[in-house]
Amino acid sequence: MKTEYRIFIGVALFLIVAAVVYGWWTDLSMGGVEWIGTTALVLSFLLCTMCGGYFWFVSRRIDPRPEDRLDAEIADGAGELGFFSPGSYWPFGIALSALIASLGLVFWMWWLIGLGIVCVLLSTSAMLFEYYTGTRRTAEH
């Protein structure tokens, strides 16, 4: 996790420098700070800082992974990495549900917003519990 938090903190430092330079530059060229871009850069800095802080917090509590050690060999990373879904249609359902909700927001139709939110919750739950319900047929059968 050390690699990840260093990347996020590096990007966060770049973003705060960019926000300061952007605010200063727009103040010089336009006679006032352009607040939307400056705010977007500051909020991006805060988001990267939050992610980097989380990875830093986690990296202190776990053993160093092969990616974090300078003396690691390629064979140190061998083995099972976890379970990855061979294929699922639920991400498409989540995207379709989000589309319904966002169309409701665009046209300000409260019933379409509600329908979209319900569909997002149902499709997200279905994807989350996809492998915990019933018997799923696999390629071996």
Side-chain angles (χ1 to χ4, degrees), residues 19 26 28 64 76 81 98 106 115:
T26 57
L28 283 180
D76 293 339
L81 297 177
V106 167
L115 177 69

Side-chain angles (χ1 to χ4, degrees), residues 3 11 17-18 22 24 32 34 37 39 46 50-51 60-61 68 81 86 100 104 110 118 122 124-125 130-131 136 139:
T3 305
V11 171
V17 169
Y22 183 80
W24 173 74
E34 198 276 314
T39 303
L46 292 173
M50 183 179 65
C51 293
R60 294 182 339 165
R61 286 167 170 66
D68 298 330
L81 297 177
I100 292 170
W110 60 269
V118 168
L122 288 175
T124 304
S125 299
E130 182 175 17
Y131 294 103
R136 183 170 170 91

Side-chain angles (χ1 to χ4, degrees), residues 66-112:
E67 299 91 34
D68 298 330
R69 295 190 345 239
L70 295 175
D71 63 338
E73 297 289 331
I74 293 175
D76 293 339
E80 185 175 332
L81 297 177
F83 174 75
F84 298 97
S85 178
S88 176
Y89 294 110
W90 287 114
F92 177 73
I94 293 172
L96 193 63
S97 303
L99 173 71
I100 292 170
S102 59
L103 281 175
L105 281 172
V106 167
F107 296 113
W108 200 243
M109 297 181 188
W110 60 269
W111 60 272
L112 196 57

